[in-house]
Amino acid sequence: MTSAPITTVEGRGIVLHGHDIDTDRIIPARFLKTISFAGLGNHVFADDRAAAGGCHPFDCPEHKGARILVVNRNFGCGSSREHAPQALRRWGIAAVVGESFAEIFASNCLALGMPCLRGETEVIEHVQQVVQEQPHVHFCLTLAASTLHGLDHHWPLMIDSGPQTMLLNGCWDATGLLLSHEQELRRTASQLPYLNPSSG
Amino acid sequence: MSTGTLYDKVWALHRVADLPGGQTQLFIGLHLIHEVTSPQAFAMLGERGLKVRHPERTVATVDHIVPTTDQGRPLADPLAEAMLAALEKNCANHGLRLYGFDSGQQGIVHVIAPELGLSQPGMTIACGDSHTSTHGAFGAIAFGIGTSQVRDVLASQSLALDKLKVRRISIHGSLTPGVFAKDVALHVIRRLGVKSGMGYAYEFSGSCVAALAMEERMTLCNMAIEAGARCGYVNPDQVCFDYLHNRPEAPRGAAWHRAVTWWRSLASDVNAVYDDEVAVDAGEIAPTVTWGITPGQAMAVDEVVPTPDQLPPGEEPLAQEAYRYMDLRPGQPIAGTPVDVCFIGSCTNGRLSDLRDAALVARGRHVAHGMKAFVVPGSQQVARAAEAEGLDAVFAQAGFEWRRPGCSMCLAMNPDRLEGRQLSASSSNRNFKGRQGSASGRTLLMSPAMVAAAAVSGVVTDVRTLLSHTKTPERGLTE
Ligand code: SF4
């Protein structure tokens, strides 16, 4: 069982300024009262958008259809809810670029095949400036080289080799890969004292 | 790279395979599930025609959405009822143990797994909830996962993971009266920052941690995720073994003795190598309260709200946002701030010792006029034990509502929620904007004793001033 390789993400950008934007803000808890992820896209940043009265980036007409979200530090901290990347994804986001990401959020994104790439503060601020001043610029994110291309710029980004390889090889949906190690799974289980309490 | 730590030993033992790209396939010894993050995972499993690989290593309870007043079925909220029904159906279909309302053991997942003796040293424990770090108190590698990973664990009892670095946080010395594990956690997060733990497992050690009871260690490890550390742990010792002994799911007889020998061998070696080390002086820690919108925006209760120039570089924009949102001025004392709602509960502080600490403050006093104050035990077992020693009556006489177990106003997925701009004093773990059910609601995190102090005073109050009029709490009386 493999998933499709992800080598590039193309499209317009959308900027969300601020550090420590937590998953409670990305998708408030009341929208978790569901047994399916369908429909979450409508509620992404629901409270922030309501508070901004239509002026939130996710409501601006010029960002409609944007695919690359550009954020600052520690994006996605807090609750482990996969509903957060699911909501972003269902709104239309296909990749996130930022100064840093909370770990559980980044691994949840990876499981959806949604790359999270990091950049130095100056790089991210520059990209954010370009997106804000020229929302119609078309970007291309290249996974193998970890770069973002747009206008005449090539911005260097970073991604750990694990997620990078999994995305490029199309094995970001890990289930099939994990299940392929039947022998190794059995061997490990047989060596764990707490699974074999009568031996030892 | 760390060597010889508990984290290294447990990791090595559970390593299944090396994956392309450098990740490791890690066996998961215990998988805890609940109604919010599992239904989509079961759906994904169904779509692929997969079964649960180790149904005996998967344990379910219902906690996030449950009402804390009337728990009769069907639940009043149809969405909550649908989620509970889905969990029941999925557990029945796959043969999984579910601790529901009628089990006598239902409660917050991070409260019931320890009290059942399911969480043990040397295990890898995963749950679709970020506060899974709690179980690290037992010397386990325990961490939160997302729904796709819940699917992976259900299907393969394993996960694709990157190994973390290990930071030892040595907390030395003794806590002063009125200072609790929650204060230690908030103090550490304040000092290190909410992002400090990214990429790290936190090992909590030192004489202060060694002296903490298991319930206090759980509070400390619970909050590791609020420092950004996906898992936090304490090396297993006699305190841990004494807690586990005779718990329903703990090994018995000869197997118990073998287990204890193995558990002892897992503790970090004296010459273990850490990727980083930090020392904290326990004697310096005061009752600690958050003033902002992240758990790192914390202060001693007798300090003033920090001014921008007192903050670490780069923190000012967030502080400005926090001043505005919280309606607090830099330089203003936090003590004396009027509070609207007081919440005692959650997986951070909803255990018996927490309720005892709060009851000690509440006993013989009464909640302030107009204050809404309520106590939500972390589990049915906690509720029974508290009721057996009359804590429910102490709270009721003091004007607190005594509720049924659940997550309640920690994240307000049930009817317990703030309204409008209400300010809560809360023993939970997150003070994010909107966390407690109102988009403009405000939260001050603190220890259960401090919440009780706020409830009876009507304002944020240094619990030490109230304890000096009662008897000094005895430490370690909790287990
Ligand atoms: S009490 Fe709060 S933090 Fe703990 S499991 Fe429930 S919702 Fe999550």
Side-chain angles (χ1 to χ4, degrees), chain B residues 63-64 108-110 129 131 222 346-347 407 410-411 429 435:
Chain B
D63 49 9
H64 284 65
I108 305 172
V109 63
H110 309 310
D129 187 284
H131 291 94
N222 173 280
S346 86
C347 61
C407 294
C410 175
L411 92 167
N429 43 57
R435 169 77 176 183

Side-chain angles (χ1 to χ4, degrees), chain B residues 18 35 129 171 188 190 214 258 286 296 370 373 410 429 431 435 442-443 470 472:
Chain B
D18 294 327
E35 74 283 11
D129 187 284
I171 309 170
V188 167
R190 169 197 187 181
M214 282 315 290
R258 275 197 300 275
C410 175
N429 43 57
N431 51 342
R435 169 77 176 183
R442 299 168 295 156
T443 303
T470 52
T472 313

Side-chain angles (χ1 to χ4, degrees), chain A residues 1 17-25 28-38 40 46-48 50-51 73-75 77-83 86 99-105 107-108 110-112 118 160-166 169 171-200, chain B residues 13-23 25 27-30 36-37 39-40 44 48 50 53-54 57 65 77 79-80 82-83 86 120-124 127-130 144-149 151-152 155-160 162 164 194-195 197-200 225-226 228 230 255 258 262 293-294 313-315 318 321 411-414 417 430 432-435 439:
Chain A
M1 201 180 320
H17 279 296
H19 302 313
D20 307 308
I21 292 179
D22 57 76
T23 54
D24 275 81
R25 284 174 66 188
R30 64 182 179 280
F31 299 111
L32 273 49
K33 241 191 249 173
T34 164
I35 56 171
S36 113
F37 288 132
L40 285 182
D47 290 340
D48 285 5
R73 285 206 301 267
N74 198 26
F75 186 76
C77 60
S79 154
S80 62
R81 60 189 70 161
E82 189 168 307
H83 307 66
Q86 288 277 2
E99 291 175 65
S100 63
F101 300 94
E103 268 155 44
I104 302 180
F105 176 82
S107 64
N108 284 340
L110 177 65
L112 304 184
R118 300 184 308 278
D160 292 339
S161 68
Q164 184 183 37
T165 312
M166 291 169 82
N169 293 354
C171 56
W172 44 269
D173 179 341
T175 315
L177 181 65
L178 297 174
L179 280 172
S180 70
H181 295 136
E182 179 61 32
Q183 290 294 328
E184 294 89 337
L185 277 166
R186 279 177 195 279
R187 197 201 55 226
T188 307
S190 72
Q191 288 167 357
L192 289 171
Y194 59 90
L195 293 188
N196 305 279
S198 52
S199 60
Chain B
L13 204 62
H14 291 79
R15 206 186 115 262
V16 173
D18 294 327
L19 300 176
Q23 287 197 310
Q25 179 172 359
F27 192 90
I28 300 303
L30 176 64
V36 176
T37 53
Q40 297 88 348
M44 295 185 221
R48 297 167 192 217
L50 295 168
R53 184 182 174 96
H54 279 278
R57 303 305 303 165
I65 52 96
D77 174 352
L79 291 174
M83 296 180 83
Q120 295 170 17
M123 284 183 177
T124 45
C127 173
D129 187 284
S130 57
I145 55 178
T147 297
S148 294
Q149 291 179 309
R151 171 201 65 201
D152 290 345
S156 73
Q157 202 65 29
S158 66
L159 283 169
D162 286 308
L164 299 168
V194 293
K195 293 178 276 286
M198 290 165 75
Y200 282 93
I225 184 65
E226 305 309 332
R230 202 167 175 181
R258 275 197 300 275
W262 177 56
I293 51 175
T294 78
E315 293 296 318
L318 189 68
E321 193 181 336
L411 92 167
M413 277 187 77
N414 74 347
R417 48 186 53 229
R430 287 186 174 142
F432 300 155
K433 288 178 171 181
R435 169 77 176 183

